[in-house]
Amino acid sequence: MSTVLNAKVPDGELRDKWDNYKADAKLVNPNNKRKFKVIVVGTGLAGASAAATLAELGYQVDAFTFHDSARRAHSIAAQGGINAAKNYQGDGDSINRLFVDTIKGGDFRSRESNVHRLAQVSVDIIDQMVAQGVPFAREYGGMLDNRSFGGAQVSRTFYARGQTGQQLLLGAYQQLSRQVGLGGVRLFNRTELVDIVVIDGRCSGIVVRDLLTGEITSHAAHAVVMATGGYGNVFFLSTNAMNCNVTAAWRAHRRGAMFANPCYTQIHPTCIPQSDESQSKLTLMSESLRNDGRVWVPKNADDSRSAEQIPESERDYYLERLYPSYGNLAPRDISSRAAKRLVDKGHGVGPLKNGVNLDFSAAIARLGRDVVEERYGNLFQMYERIAGEDPYKTPMRIYPATHYTMGGLWVDYELGTTVPGLYAAGEANFSDHGANRLGASALMQGLADGYFVLPYTISNGLAPLLNKPVPTTDHPAFVQAETEARERFNGYLNIKGTRSPDWFHRELGKIIWDYCGMERTQQGLEKALSELPALYSEFKKDLRVTGTGESINQTLEKAGRVDDFFQLGMLMCRDALDREESCGAHFRSEYQTDDGEALRNDEEFCHVSAYKWTGDPMAAELNKEQLVYETAHLATRSYK
Amino acid sequence: MSGGCEPTTSVGTASMAQTITKSRGAREPVTGTALSSRKKRPFLVDIYSTAVGKKYAMAISGIALMGFVLFHMIGNLKMYYGAYELNNYAAFLKELLYPLAPKGAVLWILRGGLLAMLVLHLHAAWSLTVMNRQARPVQYQSPRDYEVANFASRTMRYSGMIVFSFLVWHLLDLTFGVVNTVGTEGEFVREEVYQNVVRSFDRWPVAAFYILANLLLGIHLRHGAWSLFQSLGWNNPRFNAWRWAFATGFSLVVVIGNISFPIAVLAGIVKV
Amino acid sequence: MNQLTNLKLKVWRQAGPETKGHFESYTVDKVSDEASFLEMLDQLNERLISEGKEAIVFDHDCREGICGTCSLMINGRAHGPQRATTTCQLHMRTFKSGDEIVIEPWRAAAFPIIKDLMVDRASFDRIVEAGGFITAPTGGAPDANLILVPKPVADAAMDSAACIGCGACVAACPNGAANLFTGAKISHLNVLPQGQSERYKRAEAMVHAMDDQFGSCTNHGECSAACPKEISLDVIAMMNSDFRKSKSKNRKALSRG
C-alpha cells in the first residue's frame, strides 16, 4: 500500500503559481512571530540564510551546526559560480530559459513548479547577495560580470574568482552572525542532530548530541528545517568535506520523512584523479575550467608519452568530436561518462592511467597567461599544490568523482517533508534538480530555499498553530528518543571489535562506487545488495571505537555516520535497481541508445520514487509522485 | 554553565580567555553577543583603552622621540666646528624664543613634552606587553620557526629598555654630571658641553656603551619608523616599499651621526 | 610515487581543556609522498585504533583549503612549512624520510584547547557578530547592477574577503593578536560601496570585540606570512585608520542623533 504524495502545487499558469501561492499564503502577525520557535539544522547556504531571514522576521530561531562555526559548511567549497536569469549580458537569457535548461539538464525528472520558482527567485538572490557585500566579479564599468557554464548556451553565472561558494556562504554567515549578535538566533555549535521527534504525526523537535561533552539533549519547536546537505560521502571518496553525512536526513527518514530518488547522485567530471590507495577525499576543480580548457586523451590506447610529446593529430578532443554544439561544456553526466569510457578503454593519462587531460595551452595562446591567471589563478595554484604539476605548462589531469546528490528528503511545493512541521532545504531535499544538476545551480537552490521560499512557506504552516500548545521536551517521546540515542552511541563503544569506522566506510564506498557509481547494471546492483547487508552485519559485530563518549571523540562520531550510510547505501542500490531506465546521472547500461546515450523510459518512470521507512532499508516502501509536464515538453536530451 | 560557545561574558573584563567546556552542565548556545553597550568615556581615554589606540600612542610618541633624536644628532654635529659653536648652540637652546618667552621656558616646555611622550611610549609599551603575555598564557612547547619576524621586531622591548637605561646614564653623564666629575676646575660645569662630551668619551667603556646603545637605537628605530605608518593606518600599497627605505635611511642617519662622536673623540679628531 | 619512511612524530596530546598536555612520540614507518599531511595522520589514527588506543583529535573538514577548519602548528609554523598552504593541502612530498615532525595545537588565550590538537576558535565569531556584516535584511535589496563597484574595488574587497577564518594569523603572531583576521573583514566590507553606511560603526565594534579577546599588533608580519590566503598587512593599516576615524565620526553621529 502506498501513501498519496500531495505536492501541494498551487493553481494557475506555471509562471503565476508562486505569485498565487504568496498571495494566498497565511501570514503571522509581527507581534505573534516571537511566539513561534523554529529550529534550523545546518548552517550552510540554505540553513544560514533561512535562520537569518526567519530571525529577521521575528521568529525565535535555534540554529544547530556540528562545525565549530557557522562559516565552515561545505557550501564554502563551491568554486565556479551561481546562476541567475538576470540577462545582464543581453544574450537571450530569461526566467523561462533558465527553467527550461534546468528541467532539461535534470532529464525531465524534476517537478516543473519547483524549478520554475527557482528560476524566478534566482534574480532576487543576486540582488540580495550584492547588497550584503559579496564581492562578485565586475566589469571595468562596475557592472557584474558573468561566465558561461556546462549545460547552458548563455552567460548567466555570477562568480567571485574561484571562491563563489565561499563568498556566498560568508555572506549568509555574516547575516546569521548579525542575528546571533542581536539575540535573534541562538546558535548551538559542535552539536549534531541524532534524532527528530514526531508527536501526534507532527515534528515537535529534535534530539542532539553535544560533540564536546557527549551530552544528549532535546529541543522542542513549532517547525524544524533540515538544511543538512547531501550524502555524497556514502562513496567514501567524494569531493564532499570529510564531515558531510546523511545522518540528519536519515534520522528524519527513519521517523517518517520519505526519502526521494536516492540513486540520483551526480558525478562531477573535473576532479583531480586519485593518486594512491590511502587517499581520503577527492578534490574538485571548478567546472568553469571547461570554459577555456580543452579535454582530450591520446588517440592510441596505452600511449605513455607525456602530453607535450603527443602531436595534435594524435589527440582525441572527444567532447568536441561527440558533442559539437556544446563541446567541452557538455553537461556533467555526459562528460563524466565519456571520460570513464575512454579511461576504461585504456586511453587514460597520468601515472595510474586514471585521468583525461584538460589542456589550457590553446587558451593561454589565445588570451595570454595573465588573463588565464586572472580567471583561474587560484584553481591552478590549488592543482599544483595537490598534484605537484604546473598546469600552465602541462595539462591538468582530471577524472569524474561523486560531487552532489540530487536525491534527498521528499518535499512538497512548500519544502515540507511528509512529516508535518519538518522542512528540508538545499541539497538535503530532492526538489529542483531532477536526475542531474546543472553547474552553478546548487548555490542558487540553497539560497533560494533559505532566503525566498522557506520564510513564506513556514509562515503559512505556522499561522494555524497560533496559541496552540506544543509538546515540551519532557514529553515521553523526547525522553524515549534521548534514551535510544544514548543506547546507540554506547552500543558503538561496546562492540569492541577489530575494525575502525573508517575501514568500514572505505569498504562500503568501494561497493557503492563499483556498482552504483557512474554506470549501473542490474547484475552489479544485485551484487551490491547482497554484499551490503553482510558488510553491515560485520560492522555491527566487528566495529572498534576507542575512547569514551564523554569528551570529543571523532571515531565515535564517524561510527554513527557510517551506520547511517550503510542503511542509505542499501536504499540507493535498491532505487537504482528499481529504476529501469537511464536518466541524467542515473545510467543503467542496459538502457542506452546505439551511440551510448541515456535511454529514458517516460512511460514507466516519469515519476519521483519516494521511499518510506519500514524498519528495513532493503524493504522500504516505494511511493510514486507522477511528474506532469504542462509547459516543458518531454524530449530526449541532446547536446550534440 | 560555561562553554566553548559561551557569549562573550568577557567583553570589557580583564579575563581574556573564553571559558570552555567543563564537564558540568550543558553548554549554553551563543546569542546576544553584540547587545552589551560599552561605557561612555572621554575621547582620549576611550581610544587609549584599546590596543589599537595604544599603538597610536606608541606611534605618535615615537614620532616625537624620532624628531628629538634627529635634531639632537644634528645639533651635536656642531661639535665638529669646535667648542665655541657647540657651547653657543647649547646656550641658544636655553634662550629659545627669548625675549618673547622667558629664558629657558621654551626649552622646559619642550623637555616637558618629550618627557610626556617618553612616559606615554613606555606606558603603552608596558601595557601592550602585559596584554600580549595574557593573550598567550601558555607558550608554544616546541621551537617556533619565524618566517618574517626579524631581530628588530622581536627585540623592540629589549632594545627599548637598553636605550632607555642608556638615556638615564646619558643624562646623568652629560646633563647632571653625576658620573662625569672631571670639569675644568675638577668639577662638572654644565655649560661646557663640548668639553664634557670629549672628557666623557675619552673613557673607552663609556664610548663603547654609547656605541652599543646607539646601534640598538638604530635597530629600534628601523622597526619603529616602519611600524608607525602601519599603526596609524598611513598606508598605501603604492608607497609601502618606501616605508622600508624611509625607516632604514632614518635610522642610518641617526646612528651614523651619533656614533661618529665617540669615534671622533677616541680617534683624536675632536679633542679639548 | 615514492614512499617516505621512518618519520618521527611528536604530537601534542591533551585529554581536555583543563588537563595538562604532553608530547607523545610516534614513528610512521611508511607513507606515500602523494599523501596529504592529514592523510598521514589518518593512517596513524587507524593504527592507534587498531592498537586499542584513542585516536588523535584534530579539526579538519573540506581538505581543499577553503573551509578553514584545519589548523596545527607543524615544526613551529602555522599550517606547516609551505607558504600559502593550509595543513590539509600540505603534502608529504614536502618532507623527507627520517624527518622529525613536531605537531602542536595553536596556542592563544582566545583559542583554548579542547582536546589534543583541537582548539576553540569561537572568539572569531564574536568579532564578526559585533559588526562583520552589512545590514541588508532579506527582500529589500535593489537590483544588483544599481550598485556599481569598480573592478579594482571589487578585486580589493575580494583579496580581503578570501580569509578563511582558520586562525593561523593568531597562532603565528608572537602576541596572539587577531588584527589580520579583523582587518581582513573590515577591509572587505569597508572598501565596498554597500559597506559605507556602517563603515565606522563596524570598525569600532569589531576592534573592541577583538581587543577584548586577543593580543596587540606589533607589526611583525608573521600573520600575513602564515596566512594560507596571503592576506596583506595593508588590511591592518586600513583597520587602524578606520578605527581612528570611527572614534570621532561615531561621536559626531551620536551627538546629532
Side-chain angles (χ1 to χ4, degrees), chain A residues 491-499 504 533-545 563 566:
Chain A
Y492 300 131
L493 286 162
N494 290 332
I495 298 173
K496 298 190 194 302
T498 62
R499 306 275 194 193
F504 283 103
L535 188 64
Y536 188 37
S537 62
E538 203 184 326
F539 170 83
K540 288 183 161 169
K541 283 202 297 271
D542 199 24
L543 178 73
R544 173 184 285 182
V545 177
D563 190 351
F566 264 111

Side-chain angles (χ1 to χ4, degrees), chain A residues 220-273:
Chain A
H222 294 83
V224 174
V225 177
M226 307 286 272
T228 53
Y231 50 86
N233 266 347
V234 67
F235 289 92
F236 185 74
L237 277 180
S238 80
T239 66
N240 282 191
M242 300 301 283
N243 293 314
C244 292
N245 65 78
V246 74
T247 290
W250 194 255
R251 292 288 137 184
H253 172 58
R254 290 174 56 113
R255 293 289 181 188
M258 287 195 207
F259 207 98
N261 298 336
C263 79
Y264 291 163
T265 57
Q266 185 172 66
I267 311 293
H268 192 287
T270 54
C271 300
I272 302 176

Side-chain angles (χ1 to χ4, degrees), chain B residues 229-243:
Chain B
F229 292 94
Q230 190 72 10
S231 298
L232 288 172
W234 294 341
N235 165 295
N236 183 329
R238 260 168 99 188
F239 303 124
N240 283 352
W242 290 98
R243 283 159 53 190

Side-chain angles (χ1 to χ4, degrees), chain A residues 49 52-53 56 66-74 76-77 79 86 88 124 126-144 160-161 163 166-167 170 173-178 180-182 187 189-190 212 239-244 275-284 352 374 381-382 384-388 451-452 455 498-503 544-548 551-555, chain C residues 1 15 31-36 38-39 42-43 45-46 48-64 66-69 82-86 89-91 93 114-115 118-122 124-126 128-130 132-152 154-159 161-167 181 185 188-189 192 194 198 228-230:
Chain A
S49 56
T53 306
E56 280 164 4
F66 62 67
H67 287 107
D68 63 330
S69 160
R71 64 181 296 150
R72 310 277 188 218
H74 201 54
I76 208 162
Q79 297 166 353
K86 280 284 199 186
Y88 280 163
D124 301 329
I126 301 301
D127 298 343
Q128 176 64 27
M129 297 321 282
V130 164
Q132 277 174 30
V134 170
F136 283 118
R138 300 274 171 168
E139 305 278 7
Y140 277 95
M143 290 202 268
L144 287 152
R161 293 206 187 134
Q163 291 127 281
Q166 179 199 24
Q167 292 312 314
L170 291 183
Y173 155 75
Q174 285 163 202
Q175 204 184 358
L176 175 64
S177 292
R178 176 168 168 263
V180 172
L182 293 174
L187 180 71
N189 72 343
R190 293 200 196 263
L212 297 187
T239 66
N240 282 191
M242 300 301 283
N243 293 314
C244 292
S275 62
D276 76 80
E277 267 297 292
S278 67
Q279 197 154 331
S280 62
K281 76 153 272 170
L282 297 168
T283 304
L284 178 144
L352 302 179
E374 161 91 26
Q381 243 178 28
M382 181 164 155
E384 188 173 357
R385 233 171 271 138
I386 294 169
Y451 274 135
F452 297 108
T498 62
R499 306 275 194 193
S500 71
D502 264 340
W503 186 87
R544 173 184 285 182
V545 177
T546 52
T548 69
S551 73
I552 187 150
N553 187 338
Q554 292 165 316
T555 320
Chain C
M1 185 173 73
V31 66
S32 156
D33 69 348
E34 295 280 342
S36 73
L38 294 183
E39 282 162 8
D42 288 344
Q43 290 170 38
N45 271 343
E46 282 290 285
L48 292 178
I49 293 171
S50 74
E51 290 167 358
K53 294 176 187 149
E54 209 172 329
I56 300 162
V57 174
F58 60 92
D59 258 325
H60 65 99
D61 196 26
C62 77
R63 298 213 177 179
E64 42 191 273
I66 192 73
C67 73
T69 312
Q82 196 173 351
R83 269 193 96 110
T85 305
T86 54
Q89 293 272 277
L90 184 65
H91 279 67
R93 60 178 91 92
I114 292 171
K115 191 172 177 177
M118 182 186 273
V119 298
D120 181 7
R121 286 165 287 191
F124 271 4
D125 292 331
R126 301 298 90 78
V128 175
E129 285 152 18
F133 47 77
I134 290 172
T135 301
T138 308
D143 184 86
N145 259 349
L146 282 178
I147 308 166
L148 294 181
V149 184
K151 184 168 160 43
D155 286 347
M158 185 62 217
D159 286 341
C163 169
I164 57 174
C166 63
F181 170 81
K185 189 42 68 197
H188 159 208
L189 299 173
L192 288 172
Q194 303 93 300
E198 288 166 294
K229 299 295 157 189
E230 300 186 291

Side-chain angles (χ1 to χ4, degrees), chain A residues 423-576:
Chain A
Y423 297 81
E427 193 181 348
N429 73 28
F430 89 108
S431 72
D432 298 333
H433 305 297
N436 177 50
R437 178 176 66 76
L438 289 183
S441 285
L443 298 177
M444 171 172 72
Q445 188 222 336
L447 289 172
D449 289 358
Y451 274 135
F452 297 108
V453 179
L454 277 177
Y456 294 95
T457 61
I458 284 189
S459 296
N460 189 48
L462 290 180
L465 301 178
L466 183 64
N467 296 332
K468 292 194 181 136
V470 289
T472 53
T473 53
D474 45 20
H475 189 281
F478 277 105
V479 178
Q480 195 202 337
E482 281 186 30
T483 313
E484 282 172 22
R486 269 184 213 106
E487 281 167 3
R488 182 154 80 95
F489 283 94
N490 287 334
Y492 300 131
L493 286 162
N494 290 332
I495 298 173
K496 298 190 194 302
T498 62
R499 306 275 194 193
S500 71
D502 264 340
W503 186 87
F504 283 103
H505 192 188
R506 201 179 281 273
E507 294 300 309
L508 165 70
K510 277 184 203 156
I511 297 177
I512 305 284
W513 177 249
D514 286 346
Y515 304 118
C516 200
M518 258 188 286
E519 275 196 86
R520 298 148 178 191
T521 62
Q522 183 185 354
Q523 202 189 1
L525 289 165
E526 279 167 355
K527 189 149 189 275
L529 284 170
S530 69
E531 286 178 9
L532 283 174
L535 188 64
Y536 188 37
S537 62
E538 203 184 326
F539 170 83
K540 288 183 161 169
K541 283 202 297 271
D542 199 24
L543 178 73
R544 173 184 285 182
V545 177
T546 52
T548 69
E550 275 89 55
S551 73
I552 187 150
N553 187 338
Q554 292 165 316
T555 320
L556 183 60
E557 289 164 28
K558 188 69 191 272
R561 294 169 188 173
V562 173
D563 190 351
D564 293 333
F565 274 136
F566 264 111
Q567 300 178 15
L568 167 82
M570 295 180 211
L571 187 65
M572 247 175 93
C573 293
R574 223 211 98 179
D575 184 40

